Amino acid sequence: MQLTSIVFLLLILLDLSASTYKWSASTDKKTAYVNEAILLTYVCEFSDASELYTIDFNPIQDNESFSIKLLKESQGLKNLKRVNYYEFIAYVKKEGSISFDFDVVMKKTTQESIDSTTKGHYDDSKSESFIFTPLKQIPLSLEIKTTPSALIGEFELKIKHDKTSLSAYEPYHLEFQIHGLGKLSSISPVNFTIDGVKVFTQGVVLKSELTKSGEKSVWSQKFAFVSEQSFVVPEVQIEYFDVKTDSLQTLKFNEINISVDKVAFKKEDLLDMEEKESLFFQKEYLYALLSFLAGFLVAKIKLKRPKADNTQEKLFCKHIKEANSLEKLSFLLVNKDVKKYEEIISKIESKELTSLKKAKNLICS
């Protein structure tokens, strides 16, 4: 009778000493707009250090209703008790009610498995000695409202540009920068078409960092305009829904009048021309100036062009093969035939074509 009582007492003590855990969940808002960032926080608190437990919890996904991104995952001790933290950013794609109720699996390793591993008695047939406990996370429900614009957040437009008085064929540089909180990937590239003006465009550059408030982003696009006459860069408007004011707002770039001096370049000026860094000069724009200068000279000087023969083509291909950079390659193409090689030059400028070897093969296969 006494032995039975001792065994019963030991079982109670073992049960009391076993690790327990408690999950909690929260969201930073109860209502949100379509495509607005929603912070989901999950915390698992244990009764002790709980070395035997691992947690299988990965709700990251992208489906027709929402997308989930991991912001932060950590594990630590609080008063010698283990705590696991999970933070996610959710974006809902449709209006209406939504409930986030993800699955989680608590995996407990047996002490026998640990002892077997630490003592060097590894048995492959018993290598996965776990107790699996599937659970449902605490549901988090929200009401999602629609907006008149797919672009949603808090944004500011910044403009960088050169002086507005230029010489003929001198490039005018312009850069758009949009800063703020929101998914700027939904903004389409800006396109300009201006009569008598050649427009060179750099591809959109998007930099973003995930924060508790959503994506902190910078969207930028650069342009170079080249002309022999004065022109106007037209206005640009980008609409977005401001979550702070609950209203539709517009990022507006007002038109700019560019004054061009029609004084022609002198021959000695062309020969002595040096590369100068403007406000944000990019080497990929160099060929823009060269192409227009080449066109200008061809228009002003009447030349008798001999028919190209195999010797000339071989010499051209020899120069192409000897080019040691894409910039030098662009220069050779501009001088050879701007219109013929316009597509390749454009791809080099937009960085769509970045392989020197591939570019050479396209020209002289």
Side-chain angles (χ1 to χ4, degrees), residues 57-219:
F57 180 45
N58 182 25
I60 299 172
Q61 54 188 292
D62 188 357
N63 55 47
E64 62 179 12
S65 299
F66 60 82
S67 64
I68 301 283
K69 296 182 178 181
L70 176 65
L71 174 63
K72 182 181 178 182
E73 178 180 349
S74 64
Q75 178 178 307
L77 291 175
K78 185 178 180 181
N79 298 325
L80 300 180
K81 297 178 181 179
R82 175 179 162 185
V83 183
N84 284 75
Y85 293 93
Y86 301 86
E87 290 181 336
F88 301 93
I89 297 296
Y91 296 95
V92 182
K93 303 176 182 178
K94 300 177 180 179
E95 117 179 83
S97 300
I98 191 167
S99 180
F100 298 106
D101 54 348
F102 304 116
D103 295 322
V104 59
V105 177
M106 306 297 292
K107 296 165 63 176
K108 183 178 180 181
T109 310
T110 63
Q111 188 62 50
E112 291 80 4
S113 178
I114 294 177
D115 292 341
S116 175
T117 303
T118 56
K119 291 177 183 179
H121 303 301
Y122 180 76
D123 184 353
D124 187 61
S125 64
K126 299 180 181 179
S127 60
E128 294 189 9
S129 299
F130 291 100
I131 298 172
F132 295 86
T133 306
L135 300 173
K136 271 286 184 185
Q137 279 288 9
I138 300 169
L140 297 174
S141 300
L142 293 91
E143 285 297 321
I144 307 300
K145 299 180 288 184
T146 189
T147 66
S149 173
L151 180 60
I152 178 170
E154 301 172 43
F155 306 113
E156 176 187 8
L157 176 62
K158 295 182 179 181
I159 302 295
K160 292 183 179 182
H161 61 89
D162 287 339
K163 61 182 181 179
T164 56
S165 295
L166 309 171
S167 299
Y169 302 103
E170 180 183 355
Y172 172 72
H173 296 89
L174 172 68
E175 179 181 10
F176 290 156
Q177 285 189 358
I178 301 176
H179 299 247
L181 285 170
K183 298 179 72 175
L184 289 173
S185 57
S186 61
I187 300 180
S188 300
V190 176
N191 294 306
F192 289 107
T193 301
I194 307 172
D195 290 340
V197 181
K198 185 66 175 177
V199 183
F200 298 88
T201 306
Q202 188 183 49
V204 170
V205 176
L206 178 61
K207 298 179 181 179
S208 62
E209 175 189 0
L210 200 60
T211 70
K212 288 188 176 183
S213 301
E215 292 186 27
K216 186 177 181 181
S217 307
V218 177
W219 182 101

